[in-house]
């Protein structure tokens, strides 16, 4: 058996700091399962997740009509969404207020920080093909230049309405026979929670009791990474 491939876009730096915003139950799931959760690509709320560019859709359907390819655009679209799992991260160490508010609110949300290098090291333990993509934000109706050869390729793009996310996404394909029946989510085991987590940041308006509770939770599960409050909670002097 050949080893699984781990690939990353050329403009991704291994030392880049990443954030994953979440609510408390998701942090508990991460600590308790010692696994990183991946959601099937069609499970996200964005209607354009995995959408095909109109020009690509037309080219694919024309090639299918000429029997140059085995499937048309609708099949490609469905397989790209159902046959791939995604973990979403935000690039950069600075706070993103929009994401604080989106993932649980500015009082009860949490951000786990990591690095690209840590993610790659965890991926080696999964023994699965893994792709790291720096998301390109586009107007799907206007894209003309693109490269599409794999079912994962469309997941490099998102609507430019989501630019504020500054997303790096980890894509794990599950394209074997029976992909149509893939579960909505999978958990991939981590060597340890400390191997992934660099720090835990608590929302800027969190009560002191919430910060204390998060620290106690992390301690109970053996996480040695520091737990701190967002810098947005500090008043410059």
């Amino acid at each position: 058996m050949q080893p699984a491939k781990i690939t990353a876009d050329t403009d991704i730096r291994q030392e880049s700091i990443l954030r994953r915003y979440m609510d408390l139950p998701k942090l508990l799931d991460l600590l308790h399962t010692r696994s990183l959760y991946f959601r099937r690509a069609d499970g996200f709320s964005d209607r354009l997740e995995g959408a095909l560019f109109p020009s690509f859709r037309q080219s694919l359907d024309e090639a299918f009509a000429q029997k140059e390819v085995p499937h048309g655009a609708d099949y490609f679209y469905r397989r790209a969404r159902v046959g791939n799992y995604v973990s979403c991260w935000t690039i950069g160490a600075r706070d993103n207020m929009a994401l604080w508010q989106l993932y649980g609110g500015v009082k009860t949300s949490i951000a786990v920080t990591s690095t690209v290098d840590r993610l790659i090291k965890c991926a080696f333990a999964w023994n699965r093909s893994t792709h790291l993509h720096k998301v390109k934000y586009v107007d799907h109706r206007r894209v003309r230049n693109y490269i599409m050869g794999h079912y994962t390729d469309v997941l490099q793009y998102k609507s430019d309405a989501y630019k504020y996310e500054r997303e790096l996404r980890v894509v794990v394909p599950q394209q074997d026979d029976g992909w149509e029946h893939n579960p909505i989510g999978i958990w991939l085991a981590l060597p340890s929670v400390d191997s992934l987590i660099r720090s835990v940041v608590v929302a800027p308006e969190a009560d002191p009791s919430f910060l204390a509770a998060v620290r106690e939770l992390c301690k109970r599960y053996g996480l040695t990474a520091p737990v701190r409050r967002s810098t947005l909670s500090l008043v410059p002097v």
Side-chain angles (χ1 to χ4, degrees), residues 16-19 21 90-95 113-114 166:
S16 293
I17 295 174
L18 306 172
R19 283 190 172 209
Y21 292 84
T90 298
I91 300 172
R94 299 185 66 179
D95 289 78
T113 78
S114 188
R166 302 188 67 236

Side-chain angles (χ1 to χ4, degrees), residues 45-97:
S45 59
D46 178 10
R47 292 190 307 107
L48 291 175
E49 188 67 64
L52 307 185
F53 306 129
S55 53
F56 176 61
R57 175 175 283 277
Q58 180 180 348
S59 297
L60 194 55
D61 279 339
E62 289 176 353
F64 177 60
Q66 297 297 322
K67 298 183 179 180
E68 297 171 357
V69 295
H71 303 289
D74 286 343
Y75 176 91
F76 192 101
Y77 169 71
R78 181 164 180 259
R79 188 159 181 174
R81 286 162 54 86
V82 177
N84 290 305
Y85 291 93
V86 181
S87 175
C88 305
W89 296 77
T90 298
I91 300 172
R94 299 185 66 179
D95 289 78
N96 187 317
M97 183 55 77

Side-chain angles (χ1 to χ4, degrees), residues 4-228:
K5 291 183 178 180
I6 300 174
T7 63
D9 294 344
T10 55
D11 57 345
I12 295 175
R13 296 184 295 114
Q14 288 195 8
E15 65 273 17
S16 293
I17 295 174
L18 306 172
R19 283 190 172 209
R20 182 168 169 81
Y21 292 84
M22 60 184 68
D23 55 23
L24 187 59
K26 289 181 180 177
L27 175 64
L28 178 59
D29 179 77
L30 174 61
L31 296 174
H32 181 70
T33 65
R34 289 177 166 77
S35 301
L36 185 60
Y37 177 72
F38 285 75
R39 191 163 184 81
R40 209 171 66 190
D42 66 331
F44 295 102
S45 59
D46 178 10
R47 292 190 307 107
L48 291 175
E49 188 67 64
L52 307 185
F53 306 129
S55 53
F56 176 61
R57 175 175 283 277
Q58 180 180 348
S59 297
L60 194 55
D61 279 339
E62 289 176 353
F64 177 60
Q66 297 297 322
K67 298 183 179 180
E68 297 171 357
V69 295
H71 303 289
D74 286 343
Y75 176 91
F76 192 101
Y77 169 71
R78 181 164 180 259
R79 188 159 181 174
R81 286 162 54 86
V82 177
N84 290 305
Y85 291 93
V86 181
S87 175
C88 305
W89 296 77
T90 298
I91 300 172
R94 299 185 66 179
D95 289 78
N96 187 317
M97 183 55 77
L99 293 178
W100 276 125
Q101 294 172 332
L102 185 63
Y103 290 94
V106 293
K107 290 188 176 182
T108 59
S109 51
I110 296 152
V112 167
T113 78
S114 188
T115 63
V116 171
D117 187 54
R118 284 173 180 256
L119 272 174
I120 290 174
K121 289 177 180 176
C122 290
F124 278 113
W126 302 333
N127 195 31
R128 299 183 59 147
S129 292
T130 306
H131 310 285
L132 277 69
H133 293 304
K134 188 175 181 180
V135 171
K136 304 172 182 66
Y137 296 97
V138 299
D139 181 341
H140 284 72
R141 299 165 298 180
R142 298 184 178 182
V143 174
R144 294 292 182 269
N145 297 319
Y146 51 80
I147 296 175
M148 295 288 177
H150 303 282
Y151 294 113
T152 58
D153 289 342
V154 292
L155 298 176
Q156 300 177 55
Y157 302 94
K158 289 189 72 171
S159 166
D160 53 13
Y162 291 89
K163 277 184 179 180
Y164 66 91
E165 292 180 342
R166 302 188 67 236
E167 184 179 336
L168 179 141
R169 52 180 30 180
V170 186
V171 181
V172 175
Q174 192 159 301
Q175 298 284 346
D176 296 336
D177 291 343
W179 61 267
E180 304 96 327
H181 308 293
N182 282 345
I184 193 64
I186 58 173
W187 286 259
L188 298 182
L190 301 170
S192 68
V193 288
D194 275 308
S195 65
L196 175 70
I197 299 176
R198 173 178 172 269
S199 67
V200 177
V201 184
V202 174
E205 296 182 18
D207 293 333
S209 60
F210 183 75
L211 174 61
V214 173
R215 282 177 171 160
E216 178 60 29
L217 178 67
C218 292
K219 180 180 178 181
R220 185 179 307 170
Y221 281 96
L223 180 68
T224 62
V227 179
R228 61 176 177 82

